[in-house]
Amino acid sequence: MYANQSLLNVLFGQQQKTTTSQSAGCSGTRDTLTISASGKKKMAKSISGRTHNTSIDSSIDLKSYIVSAKKTNKEIIDNAGTQINAKTGEYMSTGKAFREALTEKYSKLAAEAKTHSNPENYIHSKYFDKSSDYYETNLTDTERRIAYNYEMQMCRTGKINGVNYQDSLFRGIEVDGNSVDTDKIQFERSLVNAKISNIIKQAGVDESAITQDCTFTVDPYSYEITVDGVDEETKLLMQDALNVGDNGKNLYKHIYYCSTQDGCESTQITKESKMKYEAYHQVYSYTGYELDKLEEKNGTYYTESGENILDLVNHAVEDTGKVPKEYKQQMKNWIHDLVSTMSVKGWNNVSDMTLSILYGKSGLKDMNQLITYQYEA
């Protein structure tokens, strides 16, 4: 790996992604992790004495973990299939890849500790007893505390908890925590792009004929996908192919997730439209009734037979095994509040949370928000 090289770029072996700020009219790379060529030399201490931990660090090939992660992620995308779902593959993240590297390190150290008559005393002395022959001299105070905790965990339980990038194994590596979630979103975007491309090709649509971005619009209640911006024949082919199974629902969830990240400020989602969406789907999931088809009056909704939908919700929540007993009343209160608020405001007076996204040569591209997640063409 080279200085200032994006870990994500290494993981995927693809052109670097960008996160575009529409308000500023510019784009910038979102590096997750960079390794400075002089980092390890800069961090190393010139202290004589035992330096076993950092010797173990030098024996661990971090690049091999990157290569393995890259292979895993690429295989997931290459085998995307034709069912839209951003969660079908488990993303091999920076944390997962380097947790495996830490596990290798501390497995070796714990194995050595267990050769001593009192492993825990040995571990304590190597990190905190300067008079001990085993005292590790080539560690900062922070690295010392981290190493002690990790080695104790491995010795006691056979595993470590979490990933701390201040461990000496990661000297010279910088991790931008704010970008880690972005990397996962962009992986999921790439996976969804591959699935949509497979669906469209399978339907006999020549993607090269889509010379300009078209628009996918997903209904918030039926989850039906509508395609605009292509000729009528292509439109019908694409819609028929896309509207299969849970494709619409999963595309809707993906758009929503990418629209509600910090800084996105999507104009497609408002507090009221989200409330309307929740009211509809909560009632439908418990009763099978579509709220917009019911009679709206007296702060609630009524079925054709005159039943108050809130009474039906109460019975359904009580009967379901999905909600723990101690939370049933809370669930009922929440749905009551959603339904009553919608009835008072009036169903037709609140905007629907219809979500749209562009699709073109570079795959999906978020719209009506400040941040977009996409590959550059």
Side-chain angles (χ1 to χ4, degrees), residues 78-94:
D78 288 346
N79 296 283
T82 56
Q83 295 181 347
I84 298 175
N85 190 339
K87 309 297 182 182
T88 52
E90 185 174 356
Y91 170 57
M92 177 54 76
S93 66
T94 307

Side-chain angles (χ1 to χ4, degrees), residues 162-299:
V163 176
N164 193 320
Y165 287 97
Q166 290 181 294
D167 188 273
S168 61
L169 178 61
F170 304 123
R171 285 180 180 178
I173 293 178
E174 299 174 4
V175 176
D176 180 356
N178 293 329
S179 295
V180 172
D181 288 341
T182 300
D183 291 347
K184 183 178 180 182
I185 293 170
Q186 290 178 326
F187 165 78
E188 292 180 351
R189 172 59 54 83
S190 180
L191 182 59
V192 172
N193 283 341
K195 291 173 180 289
I196 291 175
S197 179
N198 290 342
I199 291 170
I200 291 174
K201 288 176 182 176
Q202 193 176 76
V205 175
D206 181 6
E207 285 191 288
S208 64
I210 305 175
T211 56
Q212 295 183 331
D213 290 342
C214 59
T215 305
F216 294 163
T217 300
V218 190
D219 183 272
Y221 312 118
S222 67
Y223 294 124
E224 182 177 358
I225 302 170
T226 302
V227 181
D228 293 300
V230 293
D231 63 80
E232 190 65 20
E233 181 182 356
T234 302
K235 171 187 174 81
L236 294 176
L237 281 173
M238 292 176 71
Q239 287 181 173
D240 287 344
L242 289 168
N243 286 302
V244 174
D246 288 331
N247 283 346
K249 180 179 181 179
N250 290 328
L251 179 59
Y252 188 92
K253 288 182 175 180
H254 179 67
I255 299 171
Y256 177 82
Y257 181 67
C258 295
S259 299
T260 53
Q261 300 303 305
D262 289 345
C264 284
E265 298 184 26
S266 172
T267 59
Q268 297 193 93
I269 299 169
T270 66
K271 183 178 180 180
E272 284 195 339
S273 67
K274 178 67 163 54
M275 175 191 64
K276 185 177 183 180
Y277 172 84
E278 289 287 3
Y280 177 93
H281 284 285
Q282 289 300 326
V283 168
Y284 184 77
S285 68
Y286 281 107
T287 70
Y289 282 97
E290 298 174 81
L291 207 53
D292 59 327
K293 303 292 195 302
L294 304 182
E295 182 184 5
E296 185 179 77
K297 67 178 182 179
N298 301 327

Side-chain angles (χ1 to χ4, degrees), residues 335-346:
I335 298 175
H336 278 226
D337 185 55
L338 290 171
V339 171
S340 297
T341 302
M342 277 308 308
S343 180
V344 171
K345 287 180 176 292

